[in-house]
Amino acid sequence: MMQQEHIVDVNQHIRLERKCGFYELYIKRLMDIVCSLAAILVFSWLYIIIAVLVRVKLGSPVLFKQPRPGKIDPQTGRENIFYMYKFRSMSDERDENGNLLPDDVRLGKFGKALRATSLDELPEVFNILKGDMSIIGPRPQLIRDMVFMTEAQRMRHTAKPGLSGLAQVNGRNDISWEEKLNWDLKYIEKVTFPGDVRIIFQTVMKAFVRHEGITDGDMATAYDYGDWLLKEGKVTREEYDERQRAAKMIQSI
């Protein structure tokens, strides 16, 4: 059966609700503010060093920003769209026709090092301070990924997106999209302080001790969800094109 039969119309108001515990309602945001402020103060020197290196090696702008779906607004039934910030890790190299070169060419050694250590993610701490994101939660995927999610998968958006989450400490890009989304759904089943602390510890171990990579097979970056569904034959080309148009419309708002 084709996946598109279960994909939700992202322009449709749907009611996705989840019961949240005391920690998620009252403590988690306070922890986000305290930890993000502490990280900015303690690692301000690191932000400066990386910013200078990015400017020298990749040029301007130093920061890369991209619209991402956040937590669902209960009033509209749709995901709030916010700009997520990262340190830039790709160059703007183009061919003779002005087209961007493939990701693996534009990424380069410096960009790969930033991503392998997750240092490119440091500016997301400002998203956490603003309230767009949390330290731990489902990773904010691309809008063009969101439009392919089923109603059940979009339940992940009843929690604030996170800097890291269960999917990131259980395989990251080495697991399939379905496994990633299932880990996100598992996380929101029970959001607890001990669980978040455990994920933080596992994230530090994987990113800075084991230096786990970012690649998906022989690709420089992972497949988008829609591309993966199309490759696996789970959506038709017509469904794929329709959803990509929907993503562009959402981004243009």
Side-chain angles (χ1 to χ4, degrees):
M1 182 178 294
M2 285 293 183
Q3 175 80 10
Q4 70 268 21
E5 294 182 12
H6 306 289
I7 295 175
V8 175
D9 183 353
V10 292
N11 295 311
Q12 177 185 356
H13 181 111
I14 60 173
R15 193 174 184 85
L16 296 179
E17 294 182 342
R18 176 176 57 86
K19 186 177 180 180
C20 300
F22 182 84
Y23 164 70
E24 187 175 3
L25 288 173
Y26 304 107
I27 306 298
K28 191 173 171 69
R29 176 58 186 152
L30 178 61
M31 187 174 79
D32 287 340
I33 293 173
V34 171
C35 291
S36 58
L37 280 174
I40 292 169
L41 291 173
V42 172
F43 295 107
S44 57
W45 60 272
L46 184 57
Y47 281 89
I48 294 171
I49 290 174
I50 295 176
V52 171
L53 288 173
V54 171
R55 180 67 178 84
V56 170
K57 292 181 175 293
L58 299 176
S60 183
V62 169
L63 291 180
F64 169 78
K65 68 175 185 177
Q66 191 173 51
R68 299 287 178 108
K71 189 175 181 180
I72 288 177
D73 184 341
Q75 300 298 319
T76 65
R78 302 186 185 97
E79 289 82 349
N80 286 312
I81 306 299
F82 71 97
Y83 277 101
M84 188 178 79
Y85 297 97
K86 292 186 176 186
F87 279 120
R88 185 178 172 193
S89 58
M90 285 189 182
S91 70
D92 284 332
E93 293 179 81
R94 298 174 182 270
D95 60 22
E96 62 275 8
N97 297 317
N99 300 313
L100 286 171
L101 294 177
D103 287 354
D104 58 341
V105 176
R106 294 190 295 121
L107 188 57
K109 291 182 179 179
F110 176 69
K112 287 179 181 178
L114 278 183
R115 292 193 183 187
T117 56
S118 296
L119 289 174
D120 64 317
E121 311 275 0
L122 284 178
E124 291 171 43
V125 173
F126 291 94
N127 286 121
I128 295 172
L129 185 60
K130 285 174 56 184
D132 297 326
M133 294 174 59
S134 182
I135 297 171
I136 300 301
R139 280 293 294 168
Q141 301 297 343
L142 298 168
I143 293 175
R144 61 178 180 266
D145 296 327
M146 176 192 73
V147 297
F148 285 93
M149 292 181 187
T150 66
E151 182 172 333
Q153 291 168 339
R154 282 180 65 195
M155 280 296 296
R156 70 195 295 279
H157 298 149
T158 60
K160 197 171 289 187
L163 182 65
S164 184
L166 274 181
Q168 283 62 54
V169 299
N170 284 283
R172 206 175 182 182
N173 286 340
D174 291 330
I175 57 177
S176 72
W177 264 102
E178 289 177 346
E179 290 175 299
K180 288 181 189 179
L181 297 175
N182 285 337
W183 278 116
D184 291 338
L185 297 179
K186 183 176 179 61
Y187 172 78
I188 66 172
E189 287 177 4
K190 192 174 183 181
V191 181
T192 65
F193 175 73
D196 280 0
V197 171
R198 183 165 54 250
I199 295 173
I200 291 172
F201 176 75
Q202 291 174 323
T203 300
V204 171
M205 290 295 294
K206 286 179 175 289
F208 298 105
V209 178
R210 300 176 189 172
H211 300 289
E212 293 194 354
I214 57 146
T215 58
D216 179 24
D218 58 356
M219 297 181 65
T221 52
Y223 276 106
D224 292 342
Y225 189 31
D227 293 342
W228 181 80
L229 290 172
L230 184 65
K231 180 177 73 76
E232 296 294 317
K234 298 192 176 190
V235 295
T236 64
R237 169 58 68 172
E238 291 76 15
E239 175 68 19
Y240 175 86
D241 291 341
E242 178 187 343
R243 293 290 156 173
Q244 294 290 6
R245 287 193 293 269
K248 289 180 180 179
M249 289 181 62
I250 294 171
Q251 287 192 206
S252 66
I253 295 176

